[in-house]
Amino acid sequence: MKIGLISGEFPPMPGGVGHFSRILAEVMQAQGHFVRVLSRSGSNYDDLEITGVSGWGLKQVSKIKTWADDNELDVINVQFQTAAYDMSPWIHFLPSLLDQPIVTTFHDLRHPYLFPKAGRLRDWIVTHLAGSADGVIATNPEDYEKLARAPMRSLIPIGSNIMCEATSDESTARWREELSVSDSTTLIGHFGFVQATKGIDFLVDALAELRRHGHDLRLLFIGGGRNAVHADAGESYHESLEDRIREYGLEDVVRWTGFLPEVEVAACLQAVDIVSLPYLDGASYRRGSLMAAINYGCAIVTTQPRVEHETFIHGENIWLIDRGSATAIGDAIIHLIENPQTVNHLREGARQLRLRFDWDVIARDTLAFFEEVLRGTGRHAAREPLGA
């Protein structure tokens, strides 16, 4: 099959959708398919052929069309996240502007900013993209329900963006030693970009309260502070968190790693005792940070999903708490500290759960859906792969 993949962000630019797109393209290519990528100028990855565009306005549509026609693509997969396309409205009209079948993967259904008082037009433009595409993929059950009117749809989760092998005990011990974490200290970890929706301010509040009651805890923020796509909002929220940490006098027990190589991220995730991910919108398949914690068999404390997830089982593979509550975070941490057998049970449950989010499975399910869409449009994929 000849596949074109369009993403608003792509490595080396940081961002979860970009990393998802890179891994998916790699895995589909490794499974014998012709894959071409189109993303921002400056995007680069040695094993993939990438075409860059300078923006996502109307002027770029002809370049996208030329790219699709020159590569004789069977299907185009648009990786959609509103902010990744600079809030441009034109990405929503690609199914009407290109000749190839379009499958849109929705990483979120947030509405773009169009102009002041756009009102219902903002709702309509995303609905138009879903309805005009030949098929849609939701990465989580929440969005899958909202896409019920799409002509063809499938639920396919994301996988972990951190894929290197589990690290040695020496690597994890080195991190704990560098952080001056003794055997009696509980190291709490948070992974991912800093955004208000992550509920990190509640985590800081919980840390302050627990330490005030004499609990020996440290907090490690693993990874970069903010996503380039949400840079301004991320910077403001990051600054407010640092102010909060200073007000509580927690500077000596909170550490920010900044961006790290994948192997170091893996070591950090395995070095912490508990990973706390208190999303205000609830645990979701769409969260790459959650997928990474699952991938490395972490004991995870996170918030109740907004819709029921049959894969997330409280006390078995994850510890679920109320959203927006420092008290709930603190109670969960104390319970796990006092019940180390539960921590070990959660880790084993997470290791079993990661099979659900295996990249080979994700790629095969995606390719099968492409084939289904092509049959629905009366077209057929090329039988012979045309190279890497």
Side-chain angles (χ1 to χ4, degrees):
M1 193 185 311
K2 292 183 281 187
I3 302 159
L5 194 152
I6 298 176
S7 180
E9 60 185 39
F10 205 84
M13 179 183 182
V17 176
H19 285 289
F20 171 91
S21 302
R22 186 265 298 174
I23 297 169
L24 179 64
E26 270 194 298
V27 176
M28 291 192 299
Q29 187 167 267
Q31 292 180 359
H33 298 273
F34 174 101
V35 181
R36 294 292 181 263
V37 176
L38 184 139
S39 189
R40 294 175 184 270
S41 298
S43 300
N44 180 55
Y45 197 74
D46 288 346
D47 296 330
L48 296 169
E49 184 172 309
I50 304 169
T51 298
V53 293
S54 59
W56 303 105
L58 181 59
K59 292 180 179 179
Q60 303 301 321
V61 171
S62 61
K63 186 170 185 178
I64 296 173
K65 182 174 175 59
T66 298
W67 165 79
D69 292 342
D70 286 351
N71 285 292
E72 300 180 338
L73 300 176
D74 294 314
V75 63
I76 296 173
N77 183 201
V78 177
Q79 302 294 325
F80 180 80
Q81 180 193 42
T82 299
Y85 293 96
D86 304 329
M87 299 296 181
S88 170
W90 293 107
I91 197 71
H92 302 78
F93 297 97
L94 279 185
S96 305
L97 299 171
L98 301 181
D99 298 327
Q100 293 77 9
I102 302 286
V103 173
T104 303
T105 298
F106 284 94
H107 293 267
D108 69 47
L109 289 173
R110 288 177 295 180
H111 307 139
Y113 175 82
L114 299 176
F115 50 82
K117 300 182 180 180
R120 286 184 293 179
L121 182 58
R122 296 169 70 243
D123 299 321
W124 174 84
I125 200 167
V126 174
T127 303
H128 174 78
L129 175 60
S132 60
D134 297 281
V136 299
I137 295 172
T139 61
N140 56 88
E142 304 96 294
D143 289 346
Y144 184 76
E145 289 183 358
K146 295 176 183 177
L147 293 168
R149 294 187 177 181
M152 297 183 70
R153 62 177 177 151
S154 182
L155 171 60
I156 304 174
I158 68 173
S160 172
N161 291 338
I162 310 299
M163 297 177 61
C164 60
E165 294 294 327
T167 56
S168 66
D169 291 342
E170 290 79 6
S171 295
T172 57
R174 175 175 54 79
W175 269 103
R176 291 183 71 90
E177 181 178 352
E178 181 178 331
L179 296 166
S180 301
V181 177
S182 67
D183 291 341
S184 61
T185 301
T186 300
L187 182 59
I188 309 299
H190 180 277
F191 175 52
F193 293 117
V194 170
Q195 296 170 358
T197 59
K198 303 289 186 73
I200 307 169
D201 44 334
F202 292 99
L203 174 57
V204 172
D205 290 348
L207 175 68
E209 183 66 17
L210 292 175
R211 286 190 60 85
R212 193 157 42 237
H213 284 82
H215 296 284
D216 185 10
L217 301 172
R218 291 178 181 270
L219 175 58
L220 180 65
F221 286 108
I222 306 165
R226 61 190 185 280
N227 188 333
V229 170
H230 308 282
D232 292 340
E235 180 66 28
S236 175
Y237 185 64
H238 193 288
E239 290 175 356
S240 73
L241 281 177
E242 291 186 320
D243 289 342
R244 203 181 201 98
I245 289 166
R246 281 192 294 270
E247 289 170 6
Y248 283 132
L250 297 174
E251 299 98 319
D252 292 340
V253 298
V254 175
R255 168 78 177 271
W256 304 81
T257 70
F259 289 109
L260 293 173
E262 285 193 6
V263 66
E264 294 298 328
V265 172
C268 286
L269 285 170
Q270 293 166 90
V272 302
D273 298 296
I274 298 167
V275 171
S276 179
L277 301 169
Y279 310 117
L280 295 185
D281 50 0
S284 171
Y285 290 177
R286 69 160 68 97
R287 293 292 192 180
S289 49
L290 178 57
M291 297 300 106
I294 290 170
N295 189 54
Y296 289 103
C298 298
I300 304 164
V301 174
T302 189
T303 45
Q304 290 280 357
R306 288 196 177 276
V307 302
E308 186 175 347
H309 286 234
E310 62 180 15
T311 48
F312 298 156
I313 305 174
H314 175 67
E316 290 295 319
N317 52 34
I318 207 162
W319 196 266
L320 296 171
I321 60 173
D322 291 338
R323 298 186 290 272
S325 171
T327 299
I329 297 170
D331 289 347
I333 290 172
I334 293 302
H335 178 82
L336 294 180
I337 290 173
E338 294 176 348
N339 295 273
Q341 71 280 4
T342 303
V343 172
N344 292 331
H345 189 69
L346 290 175
R347 287 172 175 159
E348 179 56 33
R351 284 190 284 269
Q352 296 298 320
L353 185 57
R354 69 185 177 192
L355 300 175
R356 172 72 177 82
F357 305 103
D358 179 81
W359 276 104
D360 283 332
V361 174
I362 291 168
R364 284 198 296 270
D365 288 348
T366 301
L367 291 162
F369 185 63
F370 291 168
E371 292 278 10
E372 183 180 351
V373 168
L374 288 174
R375 287 195 297 271
T377 61
R379 306 195 196 193
H380 300 280
R383 295 294 92 191
E384 296 296 328
L386 299 182

